[in-house]
């Protein structure tokens, strides 16, 4: 294993009433219980217990709700990308020489097995930013009822896993690009169109491979982006609606029942 990472956990929410949190009788979505424990606490416990994670920074819109112990609490900006940029500018992270692991509070199934695999793959030389992904085929085989957003590519679709490793100062360019296209995160066609008409055409014809997509993205962004193909279907399960919560509860119950 290589060196350690500082971690940023995005726990902000969009303005307005949150029916999902209200239905769970909590003040904030990040505090929705999953398997009897707030999902943010699950993520923090995984990060705290991992030997390669150093300092932890939580970006949340209501800091007063948290008592995060040794973690640093930051006030979230109006969007996830702005929150990441704000966190990277804090003195502790700006001065650190370590890379940064970025994940989200709703990644309640994150565990050491996923983290070990992701960080080892992300350590490969030559990348400014590494992005965790799960193949659609593996996800549908494991959880056929899971509703995910897929990027359709030659060789099959992929879904995001809310895991990013920022290795170099150039990785900031990827976050700045994310800020420009953030509104299209649930619309793969519009997202791909931001990379130019040729890329959009290749995407439409399913001629764009995963490696080709990241190569084109790297040139547009101005930072070398590397995909990390995760072999764990559960890594793509984040909890942003009741069906996701039900699925996560079922996964955790099955795991607890195993000898």
């Amino acid at each position: 294993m290589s060196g350690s990472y500082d971690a940023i956990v995005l726990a902000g929410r969009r303005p307005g009433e949150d029916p999902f949190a209200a239905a769970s009788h909590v003040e904030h979505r990040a505090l929705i219980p999953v398997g009897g424990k707030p999902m943010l606490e699950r993520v923090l416990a995984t990060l705290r217990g991992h030997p390669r994670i150093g300092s932890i920074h939580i970006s949340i819109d209501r800091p007063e709700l948290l008592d995060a112990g040794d973690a640093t609490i930051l006030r979230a900006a109006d969007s996830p990308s702005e929150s990441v940029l704000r966190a990277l500018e804090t003195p502790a992270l700006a001065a650190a020489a370590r890379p940064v692991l970025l994940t989200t509070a709703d990644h309640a199934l994150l565990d050491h097995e996923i983290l070990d695999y992701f960080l080892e793959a992300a350590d490969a030389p030559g990348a400014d930013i590494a992005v965790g992904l799960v193949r659609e085929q593996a996800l549908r085989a494991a959880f056929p009822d899971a509703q995910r957003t897929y990027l359709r590519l030659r060789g099959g679709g992929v879904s995001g896993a809310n895991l990013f490793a920022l290795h170099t100062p150039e990785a900031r360019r990827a976050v700045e690009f994310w800020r420009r296209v953030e509104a299209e995160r649930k619309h793969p066609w519009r997202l791909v169109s931001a990379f130019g008409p040729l890329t959009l055409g290749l995407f439409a014809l399913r001629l764009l491979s995963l490696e080709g997509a990241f190569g084109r993205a790297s040139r547009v962004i101005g930072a070398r982006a590397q995909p990390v193909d995760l072999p764990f279907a559960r890594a793509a399960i984040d909890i942003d609606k009741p069906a996701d919560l039900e699925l996560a509860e079922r996964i955790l119950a099955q795991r607890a029942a195993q000898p």
Side-chain angles (χ1 to χ4, degrees), residues 2 13 21 65 71 82 94 112 114 129 136 140 144 151 179:
S2 298
R13 61 177 182 179
L65 294 178
E82 290 282 2
H112 285 194
I114 296 172
I129 181 170
E136 178 180 4
R140 290 193 184 279
L151 187 64
R179 178 174 56 182

Side-chain angles (χ1 to χ4, degrees), residues 37-192:
K37 181 186 296 186
M39 57 183 175
L40 173 58
E41 284 299 321
R42 286 191 167 277
V43 175
L44 294 178
T46 296
L47 294 175
R48 285 188 176 116
H50 197 278
R52 297 193 61 191
I53 301 300
S55 65
I56 300 172
H57 306 258
I58 307 166
S59 176
I60 189 167
D61 55 298
R62 294 188 61 188
E64 71 276 8
L65 294 178
L66 298 186
D67 179 8
D70 58 348
T72 300
I73 302 176
L74 307 172
R75 183 171 290 278
D78 292 336
S79 71
S81 61
E82 290 282 2
S83 295
V84 175
L85 290 171
R86 179 180 292 183
L88 292 175
E89 291 171 355
T90 60
L93 288 177
R98 291 187 294 267
V100 171
L101 172 74
L102 175 62
T103 190
T104 57
D106 60 3
H107 204 338
L109 299 179
L110 182 65
D111 56 33
H112 285 194
E113 186 177 35
I114 296 172
L115 265 185
D116 285 343
Y117 189 98
F118 176 74
L119 294 177
E120 183 175 356
D123 284 340
D128 299 308
I129 181 170
V131 182
L133 300 167
V134 175
R135 298 278 179 171
E136 178 180 4
Q137 183 178 7
L139 189 50
R140 290 193 184 279
F143 310 117
D145 297 331
Q147 297 178 0
R148 300 289 100 189
T149 299
Y150 295 102
L151 187 64
R152 306 293 181 181
L153 300 169
R154 189 181 74 205
V158 293
S159 182
N162 287 349
L163 284 172
F164 306 86
L166 312 181
H167 285 286
T168 67
E170 286 73 22
R172 183 186 175 99
R173 297 173 188 165
V175 183
E176 291 168 344
F177 182 82
W178 175 22
R179 178 174 56 182
R180 296 198 298 273
V181 302
E182 194 164 34
E184 310 299 348
R185 69 193 183 283
K186 295 294 186 181
H187 305 282
W189 281 83
R190 297 178 191 171
L191 182 60
V192 172

